[in-house]
Amino acid sequence: MSETLSAVSPDEDLRLRRGLGTTSLALITFSSVIGSGWLLAPYTAAKAAGPAAFLSWTIASVATALVSLAFIDLAFRHPMSGGNVRWPQLASGPLVGAVVGWAVFLQAVSAGPSESTAVVQYAAKWLPWVMSGESLSWPGRLIAAGLLVFFCAINLFGIKLLARVNNVVATIKVVIPALTVILLLASGFDTTNVATGGGVAPYGVSAALTAVVGGGLVYSFTGINAAAVMSGEAKDPRRTVPRATLIVLAGTIVLYMGLQAVMIFSLPSGLLGSGWHGINLNSPLASLATLLGLSWFATVLLADAIFSPSGSLLIGIGVKGRYTYGAAQNGLLPAALAKVDARFGIPRRALLLNVGIGSVIVLTFGNWKSIASSLSFYYGLSYAAVSVAVTVLAASTPMEKGWLRRWAIPVGFASFVLSGLILYWSTWEKIRVAVPLLLIGFLIYLVRTSKLRAVGGWLVGFLVMLGLLSALGSFGGAGVVAAPYDSVLVGVLSAGIWWLAHRSGLRHQRSLTPQEARSMV
């Protein structure tokens, strides 16, 4: 079988334990989503865009909903662990698999550090010495790295133990954010904050667009694909994955909108003397609760600020281990990382590699926002590739009914265009670093391939387009192309690139032998 389709170690997939039902998948997904994002993203969005942050959350929610539908459809067609890496390669070939695999691997090794730094950052309320300015001090960074190692150790005992522990963790993580919205809005709700802070969009619509990525909003939804990514370990994935994903998607959208309302309308107006940019709260929701006279609940929030990201860290280490496992099954990483522990049924080596590199990232950066905002770009790119995968596989096997049925191509197209816009809005400051780093995936492909193929070249073109327009555009670039024309241009070009990507994927599918095509069903 060709390098395009075959897993490096296909027998290892059979070692994974298939015991996760709808409830376990939903709770795992919820724990993956509700981590440090709910504690910090509404604050960073309000600080960046004021009341226009609701527009930021709306865009992030629509993009997340579209890509969630794509993940559901792909898991319905081809349930497998690490599918977010493997589906793009199945649909579009090894070049796309290498670049996306590299992007997903960067996510896998960076997600844990973002949660562990958030845990320690909130602990500064009691342990001020863990912070130095807006970043962790060296003792704080060492504690954050130690948390990675500790939660990795729990993951090594298998998915069943992880699911049992998470059932308790997720229940608490549902209750506390919901109480936060109810109590803080009931204690202080002032619509005049909109006028006091300079209006609905005090810094312009562009600030709201930038906040989608830069404020960590896209990052706050990451983990919504957990059920699909772990579909190779699910019981009856065609039923359980859609149910679990949609339940969590609806719940988190409502929750995040409520939390943003808290940060906009419950903030004492006296703090808005210098505008939304001027607010400065070290532990945002806990500080706000104290200002509203809810000191007892502030203590609860500070405790949960450590507990909630810790729960996401526990689950995230396991889920991101499947990312690295998938990249190894694609052949991007050494085959040894595709090995599954025979006793506990988990990709142990992949987990250990992620935590090792993650510890280095924690020690290097030590700041939640810097890690989360860069992560969002990598998630956006993998979402774009998954959006193409769902349209290609739906069109190439028309007789096979996927979960989305005739809606697969419209949903994938819309998701791809919106992903392109979100990536562009992440600003030139991030794109100029992220794009060259992602092209390392292309170099890996050149090294490991025996025959250079043009199929999948659209992805490199997509990255180059984003880089050029970002350098020339209004989101941190030279401003040669002014707003909103730059966003319109990115949207139009993204639509054109999707067309090229879709046709490229269909050509790739037609080039497969009958045996290879059958292996995908």
Side-chain angles (χ1 to χ4, degrees):
M1 191 174 292
S2 75
E3 63 174 334
T4 304
L5 291 176
S6 63
V8 168
S9 303
D11 290 342
E12 298 300 320
D13 282 334
L14 302 177
R15 295 178 182 269
L16 296 167
R17 307 292 168 81
R18 290 163 174 76
L20 298 174
T22 299
T23 301
S24 294
L25 284 172
L27 292 174
I28 286 173
T29 303
F30 193 87
S31 282
S32 298
V33 176
I34 304 300
S36 56
W38 82 272
L39 297 160
L40 298 172
Y43 168 70
T44 58
K47 191 175 175 71
F54 287 110
L55 173 61
S56 307
W57 281 109
T58 300
I59 293 171
S61 297
V62 171
T64 302
L66 288 171
V67 79
S68 295
L69 295 176
F71 273 111
I72 288 171
D73 191 76
L74 289 167
F76 186 93
R77 293 175 183 274
H78 308 291
M80 60 178 69
S81 289
N84 56 332
V85 191
R86 300 165 74 179
W87 293 317
Q89 179 154 310
L90 289 175
S92 302
L95 172 56
V96 172
V99 177
V100 173
W102 178 248
V104 170
F105 177 63
L106 291 174
Q107 299 169 32
V109 299
S110 302
S114 73
E115 298 295 348
S116 65
T117 55
V119 171
V120 180
Q121 185 174 331
Y122 259 86
K125 184 75 173 181
W126 295 295
L127 306 171
W129 48 268
V130 301
M131 294 293 294
S132 177
E134 294 187 355
S135 297
L136 299 184
S137 64
W138 277 107
R141 297 182 190 200
L142 290 171
I143 293 173
L147 289 174
L148 287 176
V149 174
F150 173 73
F151 287 115
C152 178
I154 296 177
N155 269 273
L156 296 180
F157 289 99
I159 193 67
K160 288 187 177 180
L161 174 62
L162 185 65
R164 292 194 195 101
V165 174
N166 182 64
N167 289 344
V168 177
V169 171
T171 301
I172 297 173
K173 291 178 71 170
V174 170
V175 172
I176 300 300
L179 280 176
T180 301
V181 174
I182 294 169
L183 292 177
L184 269 62
L185 285 178
S187 299
F189 187 85
D190 189 355
T191 57
T192 63
N193 280 0
V194 175
T196 303
V200 173
Y203 309 114
V205 173
S206 62
L209 300 180
T210 299
V212 174
V213 175
L217 275 60
V218 170
Y219 170 77
S220 296
F221 280 107
T222 56
I224 196 67
N225 62 349
V229 170
M230 302 186 77
S231 57
E233 294 157 82
K235 294 185 293 188
D236 193 7
R238 290 189 165 192
R239 296 179 59 193
T240 56
V241 171
R243 291 175 181 175
T245 303
L246 293 176
I247 290 169
V248 176
L249 175 66
T252 51
I253 290 175
V254 171
L255 179 62
Y256 283 142
M257 288 295 187
L259 289 166
Q260 191 61 64
V262 166
M263 196 54 64
I264 296 296
F265 298 116
S266 295
L267 193 75
S269 58
L271 298 179
L272 294 173
S274 300
W276 295 96
H277 282 350
I279 60 176
N280 185 21
L281 302 173
N282 288 329
S283 301
L285 291 172
S287 298
L288 183 55
T290 300
L291 291 171
L292 294 174
L294 297 172
S295 297
W296 67 271
F297 192 64
T299 303
V300 173
L301 284 173
L302 286 169
D304 189 70
I306 296 174
F307 178 84
S308 195
S310 295
S312 290
L313 181 59
L314 173 67
I315 295 300
I317 286 175
V319 174
K320 300 310 184 290
R322 275 66 179 179
Y323 286 18
T324 300
Y325 171 79
Q329 285 284 28
N330 270 7
L332 178 72
L333 300 175
L337 296 171
K339 296 295 183 183
V340 173
D341 182 81
R343 181 179 178 186
F344 295 109
I346 51 101
R348 179 168 55 89
R349 295 177 182 178
L351 292 172
L352 293 174
L353 177 69
N354 288 354
V355 169
I357 298 177
S359 298
V360 174
I361 292 174
V362 167
L363 296 174
T364 303
F365 292 99
N367 179 276
W368 179 86
K369 186 177 178 181
S370 64
I371 299 173
S373 61
S374 61
L375 266 176
S376 296
F377 187 93
Y378 302 135
Y379 280 111
L381 183 68
S382 64
Y383 289 173
V386 164
S387 301
V388 172
V390 75
T391 68
V392 169
L393 295 179
S396 61
T397 55
M399 300 303 294
E400 178 190 342
K401 299 297 185 183
W403 190 82
L404 286 173
R405 296 180 180 268
R406 67 178 182 273
W407 292 102
I409 292 179
V411 166
F413 168 75
S415 180
F416 184 87
V417 172
L418 196 50
S419 294
L421 287 167
I422 288 174
L423 288 169
Y424 173 70
W425 296 332
S426 65
T427 74
W428 169 239
E429 180 183 2
K430 293 181 178 63
I431 290 176
R432 69 182 180 182
V433 175
V435 169
L437 187 58
L438 286 168
L439 291 177
I440 292 175
F442 177 65
L443 297 178
I444 294 173
Y445 166 73
L446 292 178
V447 169
R448 60 184 275 261
T449 188
S450 58
K451 182 180 179 181
L452 185 62
R453 303 176 184 180
V455 64
W458 61 267
L459 184 55
V460 178
F462 184 52
L463 292 173
V464 172
M465 181 273 287
L466 287 172
L468 289 175
L469 286 180
S470 182
L472 297 173
S474 63
F475 287 80
V480 175
V481 185
Y485 304 107
D486 53 346
S487 294
V488 172
L489 183 58
V490 170
V492 171
L493 290 176
S494 293
I497 290 174
W498 170 83
W499 182 78
L500 293 173
H502 184 71
R503 288 179 61 86
S504 173
L506 292 180
R507 286 196 302 272
H508 171 65
Q509 297 301 308
R510 288 193 295 268
S511 72
L512 301 177
T513 66
Q515 181 185 2
E516 291 170 338
R518 284 194 300 272
S519 71
M520 296 177 61
V521 179

